[in-house]
Amino acid sequence: MRRFLLLYATQRGQAKAIAEEISEQAVSHGFSADLHCISESEKYDLKTETAPLVVVVSTTGTGDPPDTARKFVKEIHDKTLPTDFFAHLRYGLLGLGDSEYTYFCNGGKVIDKRLQELGAQHFYDTGHADDCVGLELVVEPWIAGLWAALTKHFKSLTGQEKMGDTLLRASDAPLSAAVKPELLPIQSQVELLRLEDLGKKDSELWEQNKMNKSQPSLIEDFASSLIHSVPPLSQTSLSVPALPPEYLEVHLQESLGQEESQVSVTSVDPIFEVPISKAVQLTTNDAIKTTLLLELDVSKTEFSHQPGDSFNVICPNNDSEVQSLLQRLQLADKQVHCVVLKIKTDTKKKGAAVPQHVPEGRSLKFILTWCLEIRAVPKKAFLRALVECTSSATEKRRLQELCSKQGAADYNRFIRDASVCLLDLLLAFPSCQPPLSLLLEHLPKLQPRPYSCASSSLVHPDKLRLVFNIIEFPSNTTAATQRKGVCTGWLATLAAPFLQPNTEASHADSGAALAPKILISPRATNSFHLPDDLSAPIIMVGPGTGIAPFVGFLQHREKLQEQHPGGNFGAMWLFFGCRHKDRDYLFREELRHFVKTGVLTHLKVSFSRDNTPKEEEDPPKYVQDNLHRHSQQVARLLLRENGYIYLCGDAKNMAKDVNDTLVEIISKEAGIDKLEAMKTLATLKQEKRYLQDIWS
């Protein structure tokens, strides 16, 4: 059987699941996949690898390769490596990303670019799958075309077919990889900053994404729903994915009722248990979103941080949702039983292993509460498996439709875009009775949630502050109820007994007796820090809770200026935005204080929902409007004074709008076209003078 090496770099399990799918399919196409996580460097050696390589890479953060690929990326970027280091290597790469982020699929692009710089060549064109419209739109045709590409590669080795310099493409796959030849030098500099002007391919992809997202509402048919389809889908023959092989055997054993600590949650990073020492509501009660500030007491831990760092909060699933799931699975009476897992002896799953995120000897309730992402949107493979557990013919057919190729639009509309979770599905399809083993096979790990440090350890040496909005969205199960974000809802509940209004934010503590404890862990250090050169000017752009790290920056700078009264400190600009001046202007008094003391040299605030008095002319609504108004100063700081610009906040709209605005400013003020302006901005990013901390 023809062997190929299959590596995946995953952050949340997507890339791993896709790599496993490739591995499963390989056998039926006459291939054998040697499957490994890219971090398992002891199990493969690219320097001596003679087989073709297939890599599936996700993207995390603001365009970084996933944590599992960090070591690999560092090693291949060793500047002493010769340009023919991987000249023997032939590979195909599938990148996963989200075009709502500026650096779309950048995790894959970084690895792809560097492999080519070291002499490796494609045997199959790169695919870029977009979670904004559905990964499967690229993933499925990319995998379908892989087998012909591998076949052609192996034939070329035996001399049956000369490959030449041509690349085989997945038929009809909407791959965004092949950048026009004349743009390749730009691509290497730009690291694919998203802008319509970069070249038609990316702008067309972006337009297509918008069309795909808006299409369901344009063709909305009130008769179709999560549980019901309409012609032609309801009458067509379906091509459904292959049934994923079962591989787990689950036993529930009565336990001795010992107390379980969430410290046993699996984590590669050190975990610290810390009390919440203060909780403040920063917004008024009539604000559209409720924003809280929590202060954690880290005095009894080894947790060190600096402004700009972020950290993880390890959170549980909502207890009422866990109980509802247990009831629906008819396992409520066994929730304190220990879960014992074994691999099925007759499983057809290659390389089957017990999921690492399910610890041994824990109760069923503990695993559903602390280990599994029960809110995860079920993938099509999970739906396919649920078909086999459904007795009603009507419900079975609908689940088949939702996981079929023909039902892709319905899957996107009623499951992916609606953020439907397993509990929603089980309530909508009452005849579906999945065994517990199926949940443990398909539900991903409950991920810790990242938060920015909103304080400086110079000012608050034993404290760590975080700021967040309590996320609320409609429940899919009952229209009347609102669901809260998994972590923000939990933190808000913990903080409720001692929550203070903002007017009393000064010094009141929750009291040691009341203080609930939470688990936190450090995140890999990033570059989102104040410059080493204190004289360098900095621009901070942070609407809403995006202001959090900048409060830490300003506290830190104020302390440094107190310690070095004669020091040469650069200008600090802050562009902040919120909806209403009187409802959600976060840290208003603190910011005024920083302006008064001269730490913050320029404060520019915009209010998007306040009514404009008639005598005022067109006030800025958003942070990008204020950036435009000060375009000369912004350009001067960045282009002439070696300044730094930091961006923190929402990736979906704000980050792209600010990015576009910066390109327009550089283009206008430097008198260059937009493509050159993009290259300039990309250079700033490479020099770590344009830094982002954004989230979706």
Side-chain angles (χ1 to χ4, degrees):
M1 202 170 268
R2 297 165 294 180
R3 172 188 166 275
F4 65 94
L5 177 61
L6 176 55
L7 301 179
Y8 62 86
T10 194
Q11 188 71 22
R12 305 187 65 153
Q14 293 264 43
K16 182 184 181 189
I18 290 166
E20 287 175 341
E21 173 69 18
I22 292 171
S23 179
E24 301 284 349
Q25 287 191 30
V27 182
S28 62
H29 290 278
F31 296 102
S32 166
D34 192 2
L35 175 67
H36 303 292
C37 177
I38 206 163
S39 63
E40 299 174 314
S41 52
E42 72 285 356
K43 295 183 181 175
Y44 65 90
D45 186 358
L46 295 188
K47 283 181 293 197
T48 57
E49 186 57 69
T50 54
L53 166 68
V54 175
V55 195
V56 185
V57 187
S58 66
T59 298
T60 188
T62 54
D64 304 313
D67 293 346
T68 52
R70 227 184 297 152
K71 186 179 168 205
F72 176 83
V73 169
K74 188 178 177 188
E75 285 172 355
I76 63 173
H77 277 85
D78 179 347
K79 289 181 179 160
T80 64
L81 296 178
T83 53
D84 62 350
F85 189 71
F86 287 139
H88 60 285
L89 206 58
R90 299 294 176 269
Y91 75 100
L93 185 141
L94 176 61
L96 314 180
D98 186 331
S99 62
E100 292 192 320
Y101 284 77
T102 308
Y103 304 107
F104 172 60
C105 274
N106 206 48
K109 288 171 181 175
V110 166
I111 292 173
D112 198 6
K113 176 170 169 269
R114 186 58 180 156
L115 289 178
Q116 289 186 68
E117 288 172 353
L118 294 173
Q121 293 176 38
H122 290 126
F123 75 85
Y124 185 41
D125 217 12
T126 298
H128 293 147
D130 186 0
D131 206 21
C132 173
V133 292
L135 293 173
E136 69 280 355
L137 293 181
V138 168
V139 170
E140 288 173 7
W142 193 88
I143 295 175
L146 174 63
W147 315 119
L150 281 167
T151 302
K152 187 167 184 175
H153 171 76
F154 281 107
K155 279 184 180 175
S156 75
L157 295 181
T158 56
Q160 291 174 30
E161 185 176 326
K162 197 162 189 316
M163 203 166 165
D165 294 323
T166 58
L167 284 178
L168 191 71
R169 275 193 174 282
S171 58
D172 302 322
L175 304 181
S176 61
V179 179
K180 293 175 182 174
E182 68 271 18
L183 291 184
L184 278 173
I186 293 164
Q187 178 190 355
S188 66
Q189 294 175 60
V190 171
E191 287 298 339
L192 290 125
L193 267 166
R194 172 156 298 287
L195 254 190
E196 287 82 352
D197 307 79
L198 176 57
K200 227 175 162 191
K201 265 217 185 308
D202 269 357
S203 61
E204 282 173 355
L205 177 72
W206 180 237
E207 286 305 315
Q208 186 63 41
N209 291 351
K210 288 200 285 196
M211 274 177 60
N212 288 342
K213 289 198 95 171
S214 61
Q215 215 169 12
S217 57
L218 294 177
I219 55 168
E220 188 154 5
D221 186 325
F222 292 104
S224 62
S225 67
L226 174 62
I227 58 172
H228 180 70
S229 63
V230 294
L233 181 59
S234 59
Q235 295 167 352
T236 194
S237 58
L238 304 170
S239 47
V240 297
L243 182 66
E246 296 174 13
Y247 66 94
L248 284 181
E249 200 174 286
V250 182
H251 298 283
L252 292 175
Q253 292 182 352
E254 284 195 56
S255 68
L256 302 170
Q258 70 268 33
E259 196 174 319
E260 294 179 293
S261 163
Q262 61 262 40
V263 178
S264 59
V265 171
T266 56
S267 170
V268 291
D269 298 307
I271 292 178
F272 302 100
E273 190 172 29
V274 295
I276 300 173
S277 54
K278 183 160 72 176
V280 181
Q281 182 172 317
L282 299 178
T283 47
T284 58
N285 290 334
D286 58 350
I288 291 169
K289 290 182 180 176
T290 301
T291 306
L292 303 187
L293 176 147
L294 294 191
E295 184 177 83
L296 309 177
D297 182 350
V298 293
S299 58
K300 294 183 173 62
T301 70
E302 300 284 307
F303 191 92
S304 62
H305 64 281
Q306 60 174 308
D309 280 348
S310 54
F311 61 97
N312 285 324
V313 172
I314 294 161
C315 58
N317 286 308
N318 178 279
D319 188 54
S320 67
E321 288 175 45
V322 171
Q323 289 303 325
S324 297
L325 192 55
L326 285 164
Q327 295 279 359
R328 176 61 181 78
L329 295 167
Q330 299 175 342
L331 290 170
D333 57 336
K334 294 186 176 169
Q335 58 183 292
V336 295
H337 284 43
C338 276
V339 175
V340 181
L341 296 182
K342 283 197 304 192
I343 299 299
K344 281 170 105 73
T345 49
D346 59 347
T347 184
K348 293 187 172 62
K349 183 176 173 70
K350 204 176 161 199
V354 171
Q356 290 181 337
H357 55 273
V358 180
E360 282 183 42
R362 296 291 156 200
S363 71
L364 174 56
K365 182 184 176 185
F366 179 90
I367 287 166
L368 289 178
T369 303
W370 289 98
C371 307
L372 301 176
E373 191 89 60
I374 63 173
R375 285 257 191 99
V377 173
K379 301 218 170 28
K380 289 183 180 180
F382 196 0
L383 297 184
R384 176 64 187 88
L386 291 174
V387 168
E388 304 305 305
C389 314
T390 306
S391 54
S392 155
T394 313
E395 292 178 13
K396 195 184 269 263
R397 164 72 192 194
R398 183 55 176 154
L399 286 170
Q400 286 174 327
E401 289 170 355
L402 289 166
C403 69
S404 71
K405 210 170 254 181
Q406 294 77 9
D410 273 23
Y411 174 85
N412 285 346
R413 179 179 169 193
F414 297 117
I415 293 187
R416 194 176 70 88
D417 295 345
S419 297
V420 159
C421 64
L422 174 65
L423 181 58
D424 297 329
L425 275 185
L426 294 180
L427 294 174
F429 295 89
S431 79
C432 182
Q433 299 291 344
L436 179 59
S437 57
L438 203 64
L439 273 64
L440 297 172
E441 287 170 0
H442 287 274
L443 286 174
K445 179 186 178 186
L446 178 58
Q447 295 289 336
R449 273 37 176 187
Y451 292 92
S452 301
C453 299
S455 54
S456 164
S457 55
L458 287 184
V459 179
H460 304 284
D462 294 329
K463 308 292 185 190
L464 174 63
R465 290 181 170 186
L466 65 147
V467 175
F468 59 91
N469 292 326
I470 302 172
I471 308 297
E472 289 189 316
F473 49 93
S475 164
N476 291 300
T477 44
T478 50
T481 61
Q482 287 276 100
R483 272 189 182 149
K484 287 190 165 80
V486 172
C487 192
T488 62
W490 174 64
L491 289 174
T493 303
L494 287 181
F498 52 92
L499 187 64
Q500 311 157 25
N502 195 22
T503 50
E504 298 163 27
S506 48
H507 301 291
D509 275 355
S510 64
L514 281 170
K517 292 185 176 179
I518 67 169
L519 297 177
I520 62 171
S521 66
R523 296 189 83 215
T525 52
N526 59 26
S527 312
F528 201 85
H529 296 139
L530 284 164
D532 294 332
D533 177 5
L534 297 177
S535 67
I538 69 171
I539 298 168
M540 301 169 285
V541 184
T545 55
I547 196 175
F550 303 136
V551 173
F553 278 15
L554 290 162
Q555 289 178 358
H556 202 75
R557 178 60 68 87
E558 181 176 43
K559 203 71 178 170
L560 289 176
Q561 289 187 202
E562 284 174 15
Q563 293 168 353
H564 308 281
N568 179 20
F569 293 94
M572 294 187 89
W573 287 67
L574 174 63
F575 291 86
F576 173 69
C578 60
R579 288 179 176 82
H580 299 284
K581 185 177 183 177
D582 298 326
R583 299 185 202 174
D584 55 2
Y585 187 165
L586 309 181
F587 299 102
R588 175 160 46 179
E589 295 311 313
E590 289 91 331
L591 295 179
R592 285 176 177 169
H593 164 76
F594 291 129
V595 171
K596 194 175 174 183
T597 57
V599 173
L600 182 55
T601 42
H602 301 275
L603 173 61
K604 306 298 173 190
V605 187
S606 47
F607 307 104
S608 61
R609 305 279 177 90
D610 277 344
N611 291 325
T612 313
K614 286 182 181 173
E615 63 273 11
E616 270 191 53
E617 277 185 37
D618 192 26
K621 275 191 154 188
Y622 302 105
V623 285
Q624 58 269 27
D625 299 335
N626 254 329
L627 283 166
H628 265 304
R629 291 195 173 199
H630 300 87
S631 63
Q632 285 185 347
Q633 296 96 316
V634 169
R636 189 185 73 243
L637 261 62
L638 294 178
L639 305 180
R640 292 195 211 148
E641 298 179 13
N642 286 323
Y644 290 68
I645 183 161
Y646 298 83
L647 175 63
C648 183
D650 159 50
K652 290 201 170 180
N653 301 305
M654 183 278 298
K656 266 201 307 294
D657 291 341
V658 168
N659 196 75
D660 293 357
T661 299
L662 291 173
V663 169
E664 288 168 18
I665 287 172
I666 292 169
S667 172
K668 175 186 158 196
E669 300 300 336
I672 55 179
D673 65 28
K674 284 195 175 177
L675 204 48
E676 284 300 312
M678 273 202 69
K679 288 165 67 174
T680 303
L681 203 54
T683 304
L684 289 178
K685 183 177 183 277
Q686 282 182 334
E687 293 172 354
K688 300 210 179 317
R689 292 201 291 124
Y690 175 27
L691 296 152
Q692 295 183 324
D693 178 7
I694 56 176
W695 58 81
S696 57

PDB file of all heavy atoms in Angstrom, residues 287-303:
ATOM      1  N   ALA A 287     -27.478  49.926  29.927  1.00  0.00           N
ATOM      2  CA  ALA A 287     -26.567  49.733  28.792  1.00  0.00           C
ATOM      3  C   ALA A 287     -26.974  48.486  28.013  1.00  0.00           C
ATOM      4  O   ALA A 287     -27.546  47.542  28.577  1.00  0.00           O
ATOM      5  CB  ALA A 287     -25.127  49.599  29.279  1.00  0.00           C
ATOM      6  N   ILE A 288     -26.676  48.479  26.713  1.00  0.00           N
ATOM      7  CA  ILE A 288     -27.059  47.335  25.868  1.00  0.00           C
ATOM      8  C   ILE A 288     -26.328  46.070  26.317  1.00  0.00           C
ATOM      9  O   ILE A 288     -26.892  44.992  26.365  1.00  0.00           O
ATOM     10  CB  ILE A 288     -26.778  47.657  24.385  1.00  0.00           C
ATOM     11  CG1 ILE A 288     -27.753  48.748  23.920  1.00  0.00           C
ATOM     12  CG2 ILE A 288     -26.909  46.416  23.510  1.00  0.00           C
ATOM     13  CD1 ILE A 288     -27.444  49.359  22.580  1.00  0.00           C
ATOM     14  N   LYS A 289     -25.041  46.215  26.655  1.00  0.00           N
ATOM     15  CA  LYS A 289     -24.272  45.082  27.176  1.00  0.00           C
ATOM     16  C   LYS A 289     -23.823  45.407  28.600  1.00  0.00           C
ATOM     17  O   LYS A 289     -23.502  46.554  28.901  1.00  0.00           O
ATOM     18  CB  LYS A 289     -23.035  44.821  26.312  1.00  0.00           C
ATOM     19  CG  LYS A 289     -23.345  44.264  24.934  1.00  0.00           C
ATOM     20  CD  LYS A 289     -22.066  43.995  24.172  1.00  0.00           C
ATOM     21  CE  LYS A 289     -22.361  43.425  22.782  1.00  0.00           C
ATOM     22  NZ  LYS A 289     -21.129  43.258  21.990  1.00  0.00           N
ATOM     23  N   THR A 290     -23.784  44.376  29.432  1.00  0.00           N
ATOM     24  CA  THR A 290     -23.292  44.554  30.799  1.00  0.00           C
ATOM     25  C   THR A 290     -21.810  44.185  30.829  1.00  0.00           C
ATOM     26  O   THR A 290     -21.440  43.078  30.413  1.00  0.00           O
ATOM     27  CB  THR A 290     -24.073  43.655  31.779  1.00  0.00           C
ATOM     28  OG1 THR A 290     -25.453  44.002  31.700  1.00  0.00           O
ATOM     29  CG2 THR A 290     -23.579  43.825  33.201  1.00  0.00           C
ATOM     30  N   THR A 291     -20.980  45.113  31.306  1.00  0.00           N
ATOM     31  CA  THR A 291     -19.539  44.882  31.364  1.00  0.00           C
ATOM     32  C   THR A 291     -19.096  44.813  32.821  1.00  0.00           C
ATOM     33  O   THR A 291     -19.437  45.677  33.626  1.00  0.00           O
ATOM     34  CB  THR A 291     -18.775  46.026  30.658  1.00  0.00           C
ATOM     35  OG1 THR A 291     -19.293  46.182  29.333  1.00  0.00           O
ATOM     36  CG2 THR A 291     -17.287  45.726  30.584  1.00  0.00           C
ATOM     37  N   LEU A 292     -18.347  43.771  33.148  1.00  0.00           N
ATOM     38  CA  LEU A 292     -17.848  43.589  34.509  1.00  0.00           C
ATOM     39  C   LEU A 292     -16.326  43.649  34.541  1.00  0.00           C
ATOM     40  O   LEU A 292     -15.654  43.241  33.585  1.00  0.00           O
ATOM     41  CB  LEU A 292     -18.287  42.233  35.085  1.00  0.00           C
ATOM     42  CG  LEU A 292     -19.779  41.909  35.148  1.00  0.00           C
ATOM     43  CD1 LEU A 292     -20.001  40.608  35.908  1.00  0.00           C
ATOM     44  CD2 LEU A 292     -20.577  43.030  35.790  1.00  0.00           C
ATOM     45  N   LEU A 293     -15.804  44.144  35.657  1.00  0.00           N
ATOM     46  CA  LEU A 293     -14.377  44.053  35.952  1.00  0.00           C
ATOM     47  C   LEU A 293     -14.227  43.118  37.142  1.00  0.00           C
ATOM     48  O   LEU A 293     -14.908  43.288  38.159  1.00  0.00           O
ATOM     49  CB  LEU A 293     -13.797  45.428  36.304  1.00  0.00           C
ATOM     50  CG  LEU A 293     -12.318  45.473  36.726  1.00  0.00           C
ATOM     51  CD1 LEU A 293     -11.657  46.770  36.269  1.00  0.00           C
ATOM     52  CD2 LEU A 293     -12.137  45.330  38.239  1.00  0.00           C
ATOM     53  N   LEU A 294     -13.378  42.089  36.996  1.00  0.00           N
ATOM     54  CA  LEU A 294     -13.078  41.206  38.122  1.00  0.00           C
ATOM     55  C   LEU A 294     -11.617  41.382  38.493  1.00  0.00           C
ATOM     56  O   LEU A 294     -10.752  41.516  37.615  1.00  0.00           O
ATOM     57  CB  LEU A 294     -13.323  39.734  37.767  1.00  0.00           C
ATOM     58  CG  LEU A 294     -14.748  39.274  37.470  1.00  0.00           C
ATOM     59  CD1 LEU A 294     -14.800  37.755  37.414  1.00  0.00           C
ATOM     60  CD2 LEU A 294     -15.738  39.797  38.478  1.00  0.00           C
ATOM     61  N   GLU A 295     -11.357  41.373  39.796  1.00  0.00           N
ATOM     62  CA  GLU A 295      -9.977  41.429  40.279  1.00  0.00           C
ATOM     63  C   GLU A 295      -9.680  40.102  40.966  1.00  0.00           C
ATOM     64  O   GLU A 295     -10.445  39.657  41.831  1.00  0.00           O
ATOM     65  CB  GLU A 295      -9.816  42.589  41.257  1.00  0.00           C
ATOM     66  CG  GLU A 295      -8.385  42.777  41.726  1.00  0.00           C
ATOM     67  CD  GLU A 295      -8.262  43.986  42.638  1.00  0.00           C
ATOM     68  OE1 GLU A 295      -8.554  43.837  43.850  1.00  0.00           O
ATOM     69  OE2 GLU A 295      -7.907  45.075  42.137  1.00  0.00           O
ATOM     70  N   LEU A 296      -8.588  39.462  40.563  1.00  0.00           N
ATOM     71  CA  LEU A 296      -8.188  38.179  41.136  1.00  0.00           C
ATOM     72  C   LEU A 296      -6.992  38.402  42.050  1.00  0.00           C
ATOM     73  O   LEU A 296      -6.101  39.200  41.737  1.00  0.00           O
ATOM     74  CB  LEU A 296      -7.816  37.189  40.020  1.00  0.00           C
ATOM     75  CG  LEU A 296      -8.833  37.023  38.888  1.00  0.00           C
ATOM     76  CD1 LEU A 296      -8.297  36.075  37.830  1.00  0.00           C
ATOM     77  CD2 LEU A 296     -10.168  36.515  39.434  1.00  0.00           C
ATOM     78  N   ASP A 297      -6.967  37.691  43.156  1.00  0.00           N
ATOM     79  CA  ASP A 297      -5.853  37.787  44.103  1.00  0.00           C
ATOM     80  C   ASP A 297      -4.826  36.706  43.755  1.00  0.00           C
ATOM     81  O   ASP A 297      -5.066  35.519  43.959  1.00  0.00           O
ATOM     82  CB  ASP A 297      -6.388  37.582  45.528  1.00  0.00           C
ATOM     83  CG  ASP A 297      -5.291  37.717  46.575  1.00  0.00           C
ATOM     84  OD1 ASP A 297      -4.106  37.771  46.201  1.00  0.00           O
ATOM     85  OD2 ASP A 297      -5.621  37.760  47.772  1.00  0.00           O
ATOM     86  N   VAL A 298      -3.677  37.128  43.218  1.00  0.00           N
ATOM     87  CA  VAL A 298      -2.646  36.164  42.804  1.00  0.00           C
ATOM     88  C   VAL A 298      -1.457  36.187  43.772  1.00  0.00           C
ATOM     89  O   VAL A 298      -0.375  35.701  43.455  1.00  0.00           O
ATOM     90  CB  VAL A 298      -2.172  36.427  41.350  1.00  0.00           C
ATOM     91  CG1 VAL A 298      -3.284  36.135  40.369  1.00  0.00           C
ATOM     92  CG2 VAL A 298      -1.658  37.850  41.167  1.00  0.00           C
ATOM     93  N   SER A 299      -1.665  36.745  44.968  1.00  0.00           N
ATOM     94  CA  SER A 299      -0.552  36.923  45.918  1.00  0.00           C
ATOM     95  C   SER A 299       0.049  35.603  46.384  1.00  0.00           C
ATOM     96  O   SER A 299       1.226  35.535  46.702  1.00  0.00           O
ATOM     97  CB  SER A 299      -1.017  37.739  47.130  1.00  0.00           C
ATOM     98  OG  SER A 299      -2.099  37.089  47.769  1.00  0.00           O
ATOM     99  N   LYS A 300      -0.748  34.542  46.409  1.00  0.00           N
ATOM    100  CA  LYS A 300      -0.239  33.260  46.922  1.00  0.00           C
ATOM    101  C   LYS A 300       0.145  32.309  45.790  1.00  0.00           C
ATOM    102  O   LYS A 300       0.202  31.096  45.977  1.00  0.00           O
ATOM    103  CB  LYS A 300      -1.293  32.617  47.828  1.00  0.00           C
ATOM    104  CG  LYS A 300      -1.558  33.405  49.107  1.00  0.00           C
ATOM    105  CD  LYS A 300      -2.552  32.689  50.015  1.00  0.00           C
ATOM    106  CE  LYS A 300      -2.683  33.395  51.356  1.00  0.00           C
ATOM    107  NZ  LYS A 300      -3.191  34.774  51.225  1.00  0.00           N
ATOM    108  N   THR A 301       0.379  32.854  44.600  1.00  0.00           N
ATOM    109  CA  THR A 301       0.752  32.008  43.461  1.00  0.00           C
ATOM    110  C   THR A 301       2.044  32.519  42.825  1.00  0.00           C
ATOM    111  O   THR A 301       2.524  33.592  43.151  1.00  0.00           O
ATOM    112  CB  THR A 301      -0.336  32.019  42.361  1.00  0.00           C
ATOM    113  OG1 THR A 301      -0.325  33.317  41.741  1.00  0.00           O
ATOM    114  CG2 THR A 301      -1.705  31.750  42.915  1.00  0.00           C
ATOM    115  N   GLU A 302       2.541  31.722  41.897  1.00  0.00           N
ATOM    116  CA  GLU A 302       3.747  32.103  41.139  1.00  0.00           C
ATOM    117  C   GLU A 302       3.348  32.759  39.812  1.00  0.00           C
ATOM    118  O   GLU A 302       4.151  32.801  38.888  1.00  0.00           O
ATOM    119  CB  GLU A 302       4.579  30.845  40.829  1.00  0.00           C
ATOM    120  CG  GLU A 302       5.054  30.098  42.061  1.00  0.00           C
ATOM    121  CD  GLU A 302       6.223  30.809  42.731  1.00  0.00           C
ATOM    122  OE1 GLU A 302       7.206  31.091  42.047  1.00  0.00           O
ATOM    123  OE2 GLU A 302       6.109  31.109  43.942  1.00  0.00           O
ATOM    124  N   PHE A 303       2.126  33.226  39.719  1.00  0.00           N
ATOM    125  CA  PHE A 303       1.629  33.773  38.454  1.00  0.00           C
ATOM    126  C   PHE A 303       2.220  35.160  38.216  1.00  0.00           C
ATOM    127  O   PHE A 303       1.983  36.089  38.968  1.00  0.00           O
ATOM    128  CB  PHE A 303       0.094  33.868  38.486  1.00  0.00           C
ATOM    129  CG  PHE A 303      -0.522  34.180  37.151  1.00  0.00           C
ATOM    130  CD1 PHE A 303      -0.920  33.165  36.305  1.00  0.00           C
ATOM    131  CD2 PHE A 303      -0.684  35.495  36.717  1.00  0.00           C
ATOM    132  CE1 PHE A 303      -1.483  33.438  35.076  1.00  0.00           C
ATOM    133  CE2 PHE A 303      -1.231  35.782  35.488  1.00  0.00           C
ATOM    134  CZ  PHE A 303      -1.636  34.746  34.663  1.00  0.00           C
TER     135      PHE A 303
END
